[in-house]
């Protein structure tokens, strides 16, 4: 016991020190935890050498990590997922696994006979890192963009796929239909029981203790370990049970409260899991490094092929097809969980597991770098893709008028450059007050959903990247009378409002240019760049809030709300 406490102390101390280095060098924290484990483990300094300690630390961390992954799986979002996300995820998972089996079996890894290295690697390489992707997309403010939503939707369905594999995994050595059905049946019984209890019993209990935070935390942990131990008794695994416990609570009224209270404890045990994983990684030989590089290369290539192809075939355009493929091009922390379950069951060789861990580290670093520059990479790649014959949405859409180039023609009198919520609200307001004005408006944007929706409504839309001067030139905005830039700098990719104003002013010296400023300090710079008028959205927001305060003080808030509800009911916005 004393040795276990000492070992945990070393794990936390070194994870914190190397975590600080990772933070300041802008590297993934998981990478720091793995290195910390290697440094203090039996293959490093040897300060932690007890296999029992390593096993206990790893299992506890794994249980908590899967419990939290389950909590974050929103079943309602999966049900509501659009066909684009479903087809993209299906194509990526099925295609990735098929290519993986062919590739890994082709390089000589075993596929059966009690050894399933190729199977585990193909599943591991089909999963992407939720931790890395969400962190980078959040920092880039891209979670709510179309590529961001597609990426997150695919991640959720990858988690479901991993759950199904973990259900079948114990039966790989005896892969018969009856055994598989029995395993899936056990999982179904456990899931059904967990969902019923979390739906009808737990809400009443948690409602009684809602004001006692320590009891909510304790109740969540008790549920996690109860389901985990039940799964162990059903010949599944504690890890599988922890995942089911989390999923069952994700639909539960207090899920957000539980997540908030368990998060700190989760971070502690997840840190221990990755440190313990790092302890199991020996100094790599050339064969391990070679296999790790092959795994990393296969993951990137297969992800680009299996994610890009379904999205492109569903007419999402080159950009919206490439970005999710770049976002997903790494190995998941969940993949390490899958690999470790295989090691525990002697399904996969230790050398193969070590190579997968090294591949995870390599891709964690490279994909963070690539995702932070994904817009530049995408712009660079679109040209060559067009030259080899792939068509983007700006190529002949069937709505061309006589004399128009590329199916969209030149811009009209009023041009909206970039289309997000402000532009969506503007079009709805024009449609409500002066619908005839819509015939004089052109929208330029590269969101395929916006493009198709506007076309279906009969509006004039040009598919293109507004940060590219060639797009502005070919769109013919040099002849337009008014150009509106309604997307704030925080959401623009590859440009700023000031840069766009300068480009537009150079192409059209006489147009009225309306730009948007995020900060009051930006207003002067935009006027110097050539803007005719600058909007500051916080001013209109402040005015609206002030009228709400006035209505509340006059006892008319209900009337104001009814008026707003009526206005909202009359709008047909492209982006709700």
């Amino acid at each position: 016991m004393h040795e276990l406490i000492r070992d945990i102390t070393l794990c936390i101390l070194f994870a914190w020190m190397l975590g600080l280095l990772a933070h300041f060098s802008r590297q993934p924290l998981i990478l720091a935890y793995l290195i910390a484990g290697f440094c203090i483990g039996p293959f490093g300094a040897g300060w932690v050498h007890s296999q029992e300690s390593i096993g206990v630390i790893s299992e506890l961390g794994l249980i908590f990590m899967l419990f939290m992954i389950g909590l974050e799986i929103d079943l309602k979002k999966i049900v509501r997922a659009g066909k684009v996300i479903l087809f993209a995820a299906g194509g990526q998972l099925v295609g990735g696994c098929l290519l993986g089996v062919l590739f890994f079996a082709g390089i000589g890894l075993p596929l059966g006979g009690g050894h399933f290295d190729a199977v585990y690697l193909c599943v591991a390489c089909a999963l992407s890192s939720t931790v890395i992707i969400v962190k980078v997309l959040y920092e880039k403010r891209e979670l709510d963009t179309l590529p961001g939503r597609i990426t997150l939707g695919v991640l959720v369905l990858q988690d479901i796929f991993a759950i199904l594999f973990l259900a079948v995994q114990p039966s790989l050595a005896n892969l018969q239909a009856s055994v598989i059905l029995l395993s899936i049946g056990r999982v179904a019984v456990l899931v059904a029981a967990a969902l019923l209890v979390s739906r009808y019993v737990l809400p009443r209990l948690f409602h009684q203790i809602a004001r006692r935070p320590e009891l909510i935390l304790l109740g969540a942990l008790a549920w996690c370990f109860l389901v985990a131990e039940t799964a162990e008794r059903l010949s599944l695994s504690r890890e599988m049970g922890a995942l089911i416990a989390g999923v069952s609570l994700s639909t539960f009224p207090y899920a957000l409260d539980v997540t908030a209270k368990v998060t700190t404890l989760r971070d502690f045990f997840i840190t221990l899991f990755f440190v313990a994983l790092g302890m199991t990684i020996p100094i790599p030989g050339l064969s391990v490094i070679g296999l790790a590089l092959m795994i990393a290369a296969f993951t990137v290539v297969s992800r680009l092929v299996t994610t890009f192809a379904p999205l492109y075939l569903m007419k999402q355009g080159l950009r919206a097809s490439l970005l999710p493929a770049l976002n997903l091009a790494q190995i998941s922390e969940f993949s390490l969980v899958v690999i470790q379950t295989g090691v525990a069951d002697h399904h996969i060789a230790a050398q193969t597991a070590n190579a997968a861990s090294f591949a995870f580290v390599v891709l964690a670093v490279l994909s963070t770098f690539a995702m932070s520059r994904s817009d530049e990479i995408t712009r660079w790649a679109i040209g060559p893709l067009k030259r080899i014959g792939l068509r983007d949405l700006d190529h002949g859409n069937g709505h061309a008028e006589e004399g128009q180039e590329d199916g969209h023609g030149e811009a009209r009198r009023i041009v909206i450059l970039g289309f997000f919520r402000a532009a969506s609200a503007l079009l709805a307001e024009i449609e409500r007050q002066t619908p005839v004005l819509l015939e004089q408006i052109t929208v330029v944007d590269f969101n395929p959903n916006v493009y198709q929706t506007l076309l279906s409504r009969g509006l004039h839309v040009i598919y293109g990247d507004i940060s590219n001067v060639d797009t502005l030139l070919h769109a013919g905005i040099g002849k337009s009378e008014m150009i509106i830039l309604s997307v704030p700098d925080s959401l623009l990719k590859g440009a700023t409002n000031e840069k766009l104003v300068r480009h537009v002013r150079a192409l059209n010296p006489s147009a009225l240019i309306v730009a948007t400023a995020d900060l009051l300090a930006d207003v002067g710079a935009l006027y110097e760049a050539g803007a005719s008028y600058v909007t500051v959205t916080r001013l209109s927001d402040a005015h609206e809030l002030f009228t709400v305060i006035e209505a509340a003080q006059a006892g008319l808030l209900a009337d104001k709300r009814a008026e707003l509800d009526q206005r909202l009911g009359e709008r047909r916005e492209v982006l709700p």
Side-chain angles (χ1 to χ4, degrees), residues 211-332:
R211 296 184 180 180
R212 302 295 296 273
E214 65 275 17
L215 285 180
I216 286 188
L217 173 60
L218 193 59
L221 297 181
W223 177 245
C224 170
F225 282 102
L226 173 63
V227 180
E229 198 59 33
T230 304
E232 181 74 11
R233 295 287 182 267
L234 289 173
S235 301
L236 296 170
S237 67
R238 290 188 179 92
E239 292 81 3
M240 182 74 182
L243 188 64
I244 292 171
V247 172
S248 66
L249 286 188
S250 69
T251 60
F252 166 81
Y254 297 93
L256 288 177
D257 199 29
V258 170
T259 303
K261 289 178 172 59
V262 178
T263 295
T264 304
L265 199 59
R266 171 208 63 178
D267 293 340
F268 173 75
F269 281 103
I270 285 178
T271 300
L272 289 182
F273 168 71
F274 284 110
V275 173
L277 182 61
M279 294 180 199
T280 65
I281 301 175
I283 297 173
L286 289 178
S287 60
V288 171
I289 293 175
L291 180 57
L293 293 178
M294 283 193 286
I295 292 171
F298 168 78
T299 301
V300 173
V301 173
S302 67
R303 196 75 87 252
L304 289 173
V305 171
T306 59
T307 305
F308 173 82
L311 291 171
Y312 177 76
L313 292 174
M314 286 185 288
K315 303 187 184 304
Q316 295 302 296
L318 293 178
R319 181 180 181 277
S321 301
L322 279 171
L323 282 175
L326 286 173
N327 292 341
L328 294 163
Q330 74 285 120
I331 293 176
S332 172

Side-chain angles (χ1 to χ4, degrees), residues 144-155:
D144 197 33
T145 63
L146 175 65
R149 289 195 299 272
I150 291 173
T151 301
L152 294 180
V154 173
L155 283 174

Side-chain angles (χ1 to χ4, degrees), residues 515-528:
T516 299
D518 285 349
L519 306 174
L520 296 177
D522 296 336
V523 175
L526 287 168
Y527 281 126
E528 289 178 11

